[in-house]
Amino acid sequence: MTDEQTAVLTNAASFITALLSADAGGHDHFHAFRVEKTAAMLAKETGADEFTVRLAAVLHDADDRKLFPETAGNQTHARYFLAENGVSPEKTEEILAVIREVSFRGTDSVTPETAEGKCVQDADRLDALGALGIARAFAYGGAHNRPLYDPAVPPVQNMDEKAYRANVSPTVNHFYEKLFLLKDALQTETARRLAEERERFMRAFLEEFYAEWVGER
Ligand code: ADP
Ligand code: NI
């Protein structure tokens, strides 16, 4: 990476910290930085462009529909940052495209076409799994007034983007409605291997959760 690219990444870190540090729903700047780190690791392994991957990763939730419905359509925050930092129009479009493909949309989710897109999407999805994934899911559920669990509400299968967005089920259901679907949709081998361990941990957590719920443990 050039000195100029390193400087842009430093600015991106400050920009995303200012934008997301108040989020208590699992999408704070630390999430962005974990995704950046994981995506950079995947980029090294797959030969994807490091700068594109890291910048897209840091900015991937800057216009997320859940956080910023008013800027999501035009990716206003990311566009503003890239223009302010002299990123070329071509690189800007490349980065915005990677960001647009990241999000989980139920059965309407897209598989990124580029190597860079695969790294960022896999990294974002890994951060939804494991101990961190559990913590983030319950943080999100709390921030959106969702119950932890309700045995009378079964998980919904095969939701498309519209149904997924409208869904307000308890947080435990989210494990079945999204999180356990992620492992098989990952694009890089390293991410798949890491996801397997993380999913195992989540399933063990749920087993304990249900046992305590009914008073068996
Ligand atoms: P994506 O764009 O794929 O949704 P994000 O990085 O925006 O990825 O964050 C997704 C994370 O937000 C989930 O992994 C989970 O932690 C949390 N989340 C989103 N929807 C829900 C939900 N209905 N219940 C609990 N957590 C949720
Ligand atoms: Ni994210």
Side-chain angles (χ1 to χ4, degrees), residues 99-122:
I99 294 173
R100 280 197 299 275
E101 291 179 332
V102 168
S103 246
F104 180 80
R105 295 169 196 150
T107 53
D108 292 317
S109 299
V110 297
T111 302
E113 282 179 15
T114 62
E116 288 73 26
K118 292 181 207 296
C119 293
V120 179
Q121 189 185 69
D122 276 13

Side-chain angles (χ1 to χ4, degrees), residues 42-76:
L42 296 174
K44 202 166 245 168
E45 289 194 11
T46 59
D49 180 67
E50 185 187 353
F51 176 65
T52 307
V53 163
R54 287 183 57 186
L55 191 48
V58 176
L59 296 175
H60 83 276
D61 276 334
D63 299 288
D64 183 88
R65 203 165 287 282
K66 299 183 288 309
L67 310 174
F68 304 108
E70 67 289 352
T71 73
N74 288 322
Q75 300 179 280
T76 314

Side-chain angles (χ1 to χ4, degrees), residues 27 31 60-61 64 66 103-104 124 128 136-137 140 146 164 171 174 178-179:
H27 291 81
H31 163 63
H60 83 276
D61 276 334
D64 183 88
K66 299 183 288 309
S103 246
F104 180 80
D124 188 35
R136 292 182 66 223
Y140 184 95
R146 310 272 169 87
Y164 176 72
T171 300
H174 190 66
K178 170 185 175 186
L179 305 177

Side-chain angles (χ1 to χ4, degrees), residues 149-160:
Y149 174 55
D150 184 343
V153 183
V156 186
Q157 308 290 337
N158 293 317
M159 282 186 277
D160 62 11

Side-chain angles (χ1 to χ4, degrees), residues 40-41 166:
M41 184 262 292

Side-chain angles (χ1 to χ4, degrees), residues 167-188:
N167 178 274
V168 289
S169 53
T171 300
V172 164
N173 291 21
H174 190 66
F175 287 54
Y176 303 96
E177 292 167 347
K178 170 185 175 186
L179 305 177
F180 292 151
L181 306 178
L182 295 177
K183 177 165 53 75
D184 292 335
L186 294 171
Q187 301 296 310
T188 67

